[in-house]
Amino acid sequence: MTVSGPGTPEPQAAAPGASSGEQLRKEGNELFKRGDYEGALTAYTQALSLEAAPQDQAILHRNRAACHLKLEDYGQAEIEASKAIEKDGGDVKALYRRSQALEKLGRLDQAVLDLKRCVSLEPKNKVFQEALRNIGGQIQEKVRYMSSTDAKVEQMFQILLDPEEKGTEKKQKASQNLVVLAREDAGAEKIFRSNGVQLLQRLLDTGETDLMLAALRTLVGICSEHQSRTVATLSVLGTRRMVSILGVENQAVSLAACHLLQVMFDALKEGVKKGFRGKEGAIIVADPARELKVLISNLLELLTEVGVSGQGRDNALTLLIKVVPRKSPKDPDNSLALWVIDQGLKKILEVGGSVPDPPGELTVTANSRMSASILLSKLYDDLKCDAERENFYRLCENYIKSWFEGQGLAGKLRAIQTVSCLLQGPSEAGNRALELSGVMESVITLCASEQEEEQLVAVEALIHAAGKAKRASFITANGVSLLKDLYKRSEKDSIRIRALVGLCKLGSAGGTDFSMKQFAEGSTLKLAKQCRKWLCNDQIDASTRRWAVEGLAYLTFDADVKEEFVEDEAALKALFQLSRSEERSVLFAVASALVNCTNSYDYEEPDPKMVELAKYAKQHVPEQHPKDKPSFVRARVKKLLAAGVVSAMTCMVKTESPVLTNSCRELLSRVFLALVEEVADRGTVVAQGGGKALLPLALEGTDVGQTKAAQALAKLTITSNPEMTFPGERIYEVVRPLVSLLHLNCSGLQNFEALMALTNLAGISERLRQKILKEKAVPMIEGYMFEEHEMIRRAATECMCNMAMCKEVQDLFVAEGNDRLKLLVLYCGEDDELLQRAAAGGLAMLTSLQPSVCSRIPQVTTHWLEILQALLLSPNLELQHRGVVVVLNMVEASKETASTLMESEVLEILSVLAKGEEGPVTRVAAACLKKAVEYGLIKPNQDGE
């Protein structure tokens, strides 16, 4: 008995009166052959849902196992093969497939048992014998590795824990080796089983930075994607102890602890991927939900602990932002967010409402309050109903009241600062808080305080409130005069700059509408000039200068301000330097200003008829500033590129901070798309690292942001060498974003650019073609070959031409019962020369690689001869060459097809072409005639030609 390969579904004997189950199985087999493994899986599943004999069920289960192996879902492949074996213990094919899945899962000891069973059932089967030899070699290698590793681990810990080796090079090398060893699962397992966690605890207890870093990084390897080891590690080290390391003053240690806790959270949330297994394969499972809540509870406690470093507090907030909210709104379970709101909302508000520098206050950084706002916003967005939101409002309002009422001036400042935090995060909650009795009045009153700290808190609250529609009219009426007075009279730059931002915010209420100016002519230019002056003053601290960027983010809605800003090289340089500083809260403002300068916000030209109707009805019609026309925008882009905007944005994308929100990512994606609009600018963008920066933007963020970044990637891939733009493994990461642009919700331009980019990638290597296949792009490419728009249709055909080098795509054209080949042949006869060229190239490729296609061409359309003759007679040499290659392939494929061709006008055309000027067409035409002579279909003339 010959065993079919791991990806070959088995035939099943049809019973008399075969049911729809038999039809579904056959359908699954056809889908599998065409490479549609998910479709095949669905068909087999439907067949299983019908009543079937145990033997038939076993076949369907092992067919499902084959699908899962192809889809690289080895866990499910093992489960399906096991179900087949339960139905039939001697099912050798199911045993073989399970051994393959177990090998991929790293469970070699169990895989070898299945293979031995296969060999005992079929001793002469060479496939089983070879597989058993291979896996035996892997096991021996693992044993050798583990035995040599035992001594290495023991030696490394001896060196690290030896007090006499303090600070030596030997100790440093041992710590590095330990970290490297832990990166491999086998090494991590060996460290873990060698009492490694207890020994790493001793390293942490030393308090030495290098040893603590080595211990934390080694623990990352031990816990990565391994739930049971993570639970055991927490049990030994103590959750409280692990979280407390986050709060140390040393930034490197705090960040390493943050990374370790993130890995632990991932392991606890995702479940067992590589859990402990006994001889029978039993998994040791702890209670991950409980451990998860204990970890989160400790993080919440850390937020309000006195003595915790500001960096540690920020890291705790970052972890909560990443871990608590749901990954997708489609996930119905938001219980973790609700639990955090009930248990820790007050603690988060305490960080968000912290006032700078009073005695006994929490230590915070310039980014802490912004991080708290982002966490609050994430929690609020995770709520699903009005009752949950009302509870959120109530808790926030009760907290604010507890400080505002009966706590004196310090309490009022704390309450107002908390309101500011909410306005920057869940603004609905902030608006509700502003409406609490006395809050807004206190803000206005404190703006006139003689104490700088009190003024700062009040003015910032006023600025944040000004952007909220419910309060803007109140502030416009009551706050403008106050802000102007502060700006003119205050002697402190920190107050004046904030007052200026408030005025900028109110002055930009009309957005890009040229007709909606809030201030007198020239006022916005004066405000912008002062903002640029403060921005360039490096004597002012970064936390104050970032307010100048906030002001410019609002004022750059005005095209006059944009023009002056991009002309000011010093201001642009200062802006980019500030974006690279530790003041991460400036990122959104920088990105907003760049979006405005490049006009990369959404703008639709109004319909002239609607404009006339609006004027007739005396409705307001937005007007575009004359300096926002395309020629001005292109000039501004050139100036930004010359100033180094791409390098600055690349650094912004690399930021590992919650301040780089999805909204901020979207803004950066918009700017990148504007920067690559002109072909001539794309080289500059690539040279400054733009291609590398676009990849994470295309894979994470808002839907709009990912689409914009993917379109920018497509533009770069079309006009530059992809292997240079995306070197190494990076080129394979480009495929998924490009395929996302093929979806129907994308515009025609995005579809077209994605097809062009994929065409370039498909022409590079087989591995890239396989990646495109794996991303399920081929059905979408095929769909666009029927598109009405000629450029999209042509691009899809060109892409399919390059994909035809792939065996799986060739099989689609060879398969019976479809019109793929017919469409390609008909396109060779279209009037569109570029479409003809693409289709003829695809046909030449297919007839060369799949000779069986040649005999099918005459069957797909009665016009096939006319089409081939038209290609041969084309004045375009490239088309002529592709046509003659198709004819040669058909002649070589079979004598019968060659005879049909030689009996037509093709013979005369080939004779003429063969006598033409020496070149590729002449040589191929001569080869066609030579083959026809060999068949005896024609005779050479007297000259032997």
Side-chain angles (χ1 to χ4, degrees):
M1 172 181 175
T2 304
V3 177
S4 51
T8 310
E10 288 75 5
Q12 182 177 339
S19 67
S20 59
E22 171 70 8
Q23 293 168 358
L24 284 167
R25 183 198 58 75
K26 286 181 178 178
E27 182 185 325
N29 290 352
E30 283 301 314
L31 289 167
F32 191 98
K33 287 175 187 175
R34 296 206 296 267
D36 184 359
Y37 305 121
E38 289 193 349
L41 197 58
T42 302
Y44 295 142
T45 304
Q46 290 173 347
L48 269 172
S49 66
L50 305 173
E51 288 187 16
Q55 185 64 30
D56 295 339
Q57 288 180 13
I59 291 170
L60 289 166
H61 277 301
R62 70 191 189 205
N63 282 3
R64 280 170 56 81
C67 293
H68 285 302
L69 283 169
K70 283 288 187 183
L71 292 167
E72 298 180 9
D73 187 351
Y74 303 116
Q76 279 300 120
E78 180 207 351
I79 291 168
E80 289 297 332
S82 296
K83 287 179 180 178
I85 294 163
E86 285 174 15
K87 304 287 182 185
D88 180 1
D91 190 335
V92 71
K93 296 180 182 180
L95 284 164
Y96 180 62
R97 284 180 189 158
R98 188 169 74 175
S99 75
Q100 291 180 306
L102 290 167
E103 181 183 355
K104 291 291 185 182
L105 291 167
R107 288 150 56 192
L108 302 180
D109 53 339
Q110 292 172 267
V112 80
L113 293 175
D114 280 347
L115 279 173
K116 284 179 178 177
R117 177 78 174 136
C118 289
V119 171
S120 70
L121 291 168
E122 293 187 13
K124 295 182 180 180
N125 192 304
K126 293 182 179 179
V127 173
F128 296 158
Q129 291 170 2
E130 183 63 27
L132 190 58
R133 274 195 297 273
N134 287 340
I135 208 163
Q138 289 181 52
I139 290 172
Q140 287 176 7
E141 182 61 33
K142 188 174 180 180
V143 169
R144 281 197 299 271
Y145 174 78
M146 296 299 276
S147 59
S148 65
T149 304
D150 277 342
K152 288 179 184 176
V153 170
E154 187 178 346
Q155 186 183 20
M156 282 185 274
F157 276 116
Q158 281 178 355
I159 294 168
L160 291 169
L161 293 169
D162 186 349
E164 294 182 8
E165 293 283 357
K166 190 171 183 179
T168 63
E169 186 180 335
K170 197 174 178 183
K171 204 164 193 173
Q172 187 179 13
K173 191 173 181 180
S175 65
Q176 289 172 350
N177 289 340
L178 194 65
V179 174
V180 170
L181 182 64
R183 287 177 188 158
E184 295 293 330
D185 187 59
E189 183 71 10
K190 176 50 61 179
I191 294 170
F192 181 78
R193 292 189 180 276
S194 302
N195 204 32
V197 177
Q198 288 85 345
L199 294 169
L200 290 168
Q201 184 177 28
R202 289 174 59 187
L203 291 182
L204 290 172
D205 291 339
T206 63
E208 292 181 35
T209 300
D210 290 344
L211 293 183
M212 290 182 76
L213 288 172
L216 292 167
R217 289 165 184 166
T218 305
L219 285 167
V220 166
I222 289 172
C223 297
S224 184
E225 295 186 337
H226 206 304
Q227 191 185 70
S228 53
R229 285 204 300 248
T230 298
V231 173
T233 299
L234 286 170
S235 176
V236 172
L237 298 178
T239 306
R240 182 70 196 139
R241 170 73 198 283
M242 286 308 308
V243 172
S244 67
I245 298 172
L246 203 63
V248 300
E249 287 292 340
N250 187 296
Q251 287 193 17
V253 173
S254 180
L255 279 171
C258 182
H259 184 208
L260 171 58
L261 288 168
Q262 177 69 62
V263 166
M264 287 178 160
F265 274 122
D266 290 343
L268 292 172
K269 288 191 86 172
E270 296 301 324
V272 180
K273 289 187 178 180
K274 304 173 186 174
F276 289 142
R277 294 171 187 270
K279 289 183 180 177
E280 291 74 39
I283 305 171
I284 299 170
V285 182
D287 181 3
R290 178 186 167 280
E291 295 293 339
L292 195 64
K293 284 191 174 181
V294 170
L295 259 179
I296 292 172
S297 179
N298 277 280
L299 282 176
L300 291 169
E301 290 294 331
L302 187 80
L303 290 180
T304 54
E305 277 186 22
V306 176
V308 171
S309 67
Q311 177 75 33
R313 224 178 296 279
D314 286 357
N315 287 335
L317 288 166
T318 300
L319 283 169
L320 290 167
I321 289 167
K322 289 180 178 178
V323 170
V324 176
R326 290 173 291 169
K327 294 291 183 188
S328 166
K330 294 177 183 177
D331 180 1
D333 184 12
N334 69 338
S335 59
L336 195 55
L338 294 175
W339 182 80
V340 168
I341 288 168
D342 288 337
Q343 300 295 317
L345 185 62
K346 290 180 181 178
K347 299 180 192 301
I348 301 164
L349 290 171
E350 194 169 333
V351 178
S354 56
V355 181
D357 301 329
E361 188 61 58
L362 300 178
T363 306
V364 293
T365 69
N367 303 312
S368 300
R369 285 188 287 275
M370 179 58 77
S371 295
S373 292
I374 292 166
L375 176 55
L376 289 166
S377 183
K378 294 272 187 184
L379 292 171
Y380 181 80
D381 291 343
D382 220 32
L383 302 178
K384 296 192 295 184
C385 62
D386 288 343
E388 291 174 359
R389 282 184 276 274
E390 281 298 325
N391 179 57
F392 187 92
Y393 298 146
R394 180 180 56 78
L395 290 170
C396 290
E397 288 166 18
N398 287 345
Y399 178 83
I400 291 166
K401 284 179 186 177
S402 71
W403 282 102
F404 193 77
E405 298 168 0
Q407 296 284 346
L409 181 59
K412 283 185 169 55
L413 286 171
R414 185 77 185 230
I416 292 169
Q417 188 79 301
T418 306
V419 172
S420 287
C421 176
L422 288 169
L423 287 167
Q424 291 178 87
S427 56
E428 281 297 318
N431 271 322
R432 291 270 294 251
L434 277 176
E435 291 164 7
L436 292 173
S437 176
V439 172
M440 200 66 210
E441 291 77 5
S442 295
V443 170
I444 299 293
T445 302
L446 286 169
C447 280
S449 170
E450 294 181 2
Q451 296 296 318
E452 183 179 3
E453 291 77 11
E454 295 169 10
Q455 274 190 312
L456 284 173
V457 171
V459 173
E460 285 185 21
L462 197 61
I463 293 167
H464 297 311
K468 312 305 167 188
K470 291 183 180 179
R471 307 301 306 183
S473 58
F474 172 87
I475 294 165
T476 304
N478 300 277
V480 171
S481 58
L482 177 59
L483 289 169
K484 283 183 177 178
D485 190 57
L486 283 169
Y487 175 59
K488 290 176 181 177
R489 298 179 186 278
S490 179
E491 296 177 0
K492 302 178 183 71
D493 279 346
S494 59
I495 300 297
R496 292 186 69 218
I497 199 168
R498 285 166 172 78
L500 177 60
V501 171
L503 291 170
C504 294
K505 203 166 187 178
L506 293 170
S508 65
T512 57
D513 186 353
F514 183 47
S515 63
M516 291 280 287
K517 295 299 169 190
Q518 301 295 309
F519 294 147
E521 190 68 34
S523 294
T524 49
L525 285 172
K526 287 178 183 176
L527 292 173
K529 187 175 181 180
Q530 185 59 55
C531 281
R532 297 203 309 273
K533 182 180 174 183
W534 271 319
L535 176 59
C536 296
N537 186 352
D538 54 15
Q539 300 301 310
I540 302 174
D541 64 277
S543 61
T544 302
R545 287 167 65 210
R546 72 113 172 160
W547 285 97
V549 184
E550 292 273 356
L552 288 167
Y554 294 111
L555 292 174
T556 46
F557 281 122
D558 187 313
D560 288 318
V561 173
K562 301 177 196 181
E563 288 295 314
E564 286 195 1
F565 186 33
V566 297
E567 291 289 349
D568 190 339
E569 291 183 18
L572 289 177
K573 185 178 178 182
L575 179 78
F576 299 153
Q577 283 179 342
L578 194 59
S579 71
R580 294 184 176 99
S581 72
E582 292 298 315
E583 183 62 43
R584 311 317 293 164
S585 53
V586 77
L587 294 184
F588 191 86
V590 172
S592 298
L594 292 173
V595 164
N596 292 340
C597 288
T598 56
N599 282 37
S600 47
Y601 41 72
D602 291 326
Y603 175 78
E604 289 185 16
E605 286 286 345
D607 186 335
K609 291 181 180 179
M610 296 303 293
V611 170
E612 288 301 317
L613 282 171
K615 286 180 179 177
Y616 180 76
K618 295 183 179 179
Q619 296 291 318
H620 173 69
V621 180
E623 294 178 23
Q624 188 182 38
H625 196 293
K627 291 181 181 177
D628 271 334
K629 290 180 179 176
S631 58
F632 284 91
V633 175
R634 283 196 294 271
R636 290 200 292 266
V637 166
K638 299 273 186 198
K639 287 166 186 170
L640 287 169
L641 284 168
V645 66
V646 177
S647 297
M649 289 172 62
T650 302
C651 289
M652 291 167 70
V653 173
K654 291 177 183 175
T655 301
E656 292 188 8
S657 165
V659 176
L660 188 67
T661 60
N662 287 341
S663 300
C664 189
R665 287 172 175 275
E666 181 184 318
L667 295 179
L668 293 172
S669 298
R670 288 176 179 276
V671 179
F672 267 121
L673 184 56
L675 296 178
V676 300
E677 191 61 41
E678 294 289 313
V679 175
D681 296 332
R682 293 174 192 172
T684 305
V685 173
V686 171
Q688 294 182 15
K692 182 180 179 181
L694 277 165
L695 283 169
L697 293 175
L699 296 169
E700 185 181 350
T702 64
D703 290 341
V704 172
Q706 289 183 66
T707 301
K708 299 280 185 190
Q711 191 177 0
L713 283 172
K715 289 178 186 290
L716 293 178
T717 309
I718 291 167
T719 55
S720 62
N721 181 349
E723 291 175 289
M724 298 289 286
T725 306
F726 311 104
E729 293 296 306
R730 205 171 290 148
I731 194 169
Y732 302 101
E733 296 176 38
V734 180
V735 174
R736 182 171 295 172
L738 294 180
V739 173
S740 72
L741 293 177
L742 296 179
H743 293 293
L744 295 175
N745 59 341
C746 293
S747 68
L749 176 61
Q750 289 166 342
N751 299 152
F752 172 73
E753 289 178 333
L755 288 165
M756 293 287 285
L758 287 168
T759 300
N760 276 2
L761 293 179
I764 292 173
S765 71
E766 178 62 19
R767 188 178 166 194
L768 272 167
R769 290 189 286 275
Q770 288 296 327
K771 178 67 175 171
I772 294 169
L773 266 173
K774 192 174 179 181
E775 294 296 336
K776 301 174 186 170
V778 170
M780 290 186 276
I781 296 167
E782 194 175 9
Y784 284 114
M785 289 176 70
F786 294 90
E787 176 66 42
E788 288 184 15
H789 196 291
E790 63 179 22
M791 291 179 71
I792 295 177
R793 185 169 67 243
R794 184 194 308 149
T797 307
E798 287 176 353
C799 191
M800 190 60 81
C801 171
N802 280 358
M803 288 300 294
M805 289 185 273
C806 185
K807 176 70 167 60
E808 288 83 350
V809 174
Q810 294 163 26
D811 291 343
L812 294 176
F813 282 89
V814 171
E816 298 287 342
N818 68 76
D819 290 331
R820 293 185 181 93
L821 185 60
K822 180 179 180 179
L823 181 68
L824 209 58
V825 173
L826 291 174
Y827 277 177
C828 289
E830 283 286 308
D831 293 334
D832 180 349
E833 194 174 272
L834 292 173
L835 178 61
Q836 264 189 304
R837 189 177 68 180
L843 197 60
M845 184 77 66
L846 283 168
T847 52
S848 172
L849 297 171
Q850 289 286 345
S852 60
V853 168
C854 299
S855 59
R856 289 193 55 213
I857 289 176
Q859 300 168 15
V860 295
T861 173
T862 55
H863 302 291
W864 69 280
L865 265 174
E866 297 168 35
I867 292 168
L868 284 179
Q869 288 167 15
L871 287 175
L872 295 175
L873 294 169
S874 172
N876 185 312
L877 282 177
E878 193 174 356
L879 267 178
Q880 204 174 55
H881 181 245
R882 293 182 183 199
V884 79
V885 167
V886 172
V887 171
L888 176 61
N889 292 336
M890 292 179 72
V891 168
E892 290 182 337
S894 77
K895 184 177 179 179
E896 184 183 348
T897 307
S899 175
T900 307
L901 287 165
M902 294 305 129
E903 289 169 3
S904 71
E905 294 178 17
V906 170
L907 174 60
E908 186 179 341
I909 298 169
L910 289 172
S911 300
V912 173
L913 292 176
K915 293 176 183 178
E917 188 177 337
E918 176 65 21
V921 173
T922 308
R923 288 194 291 272
V924 178
C928 290
L929 295 172
K930 184 180 178 182
K931 190 68 182 177
V933 170
E934 288 178 16
Y935 284 143
L937 298 173
I938 60 173
K939 294 180 180 179
N941 59 23
Q942 292 178 352
D943 299 326
E945 295 180 351

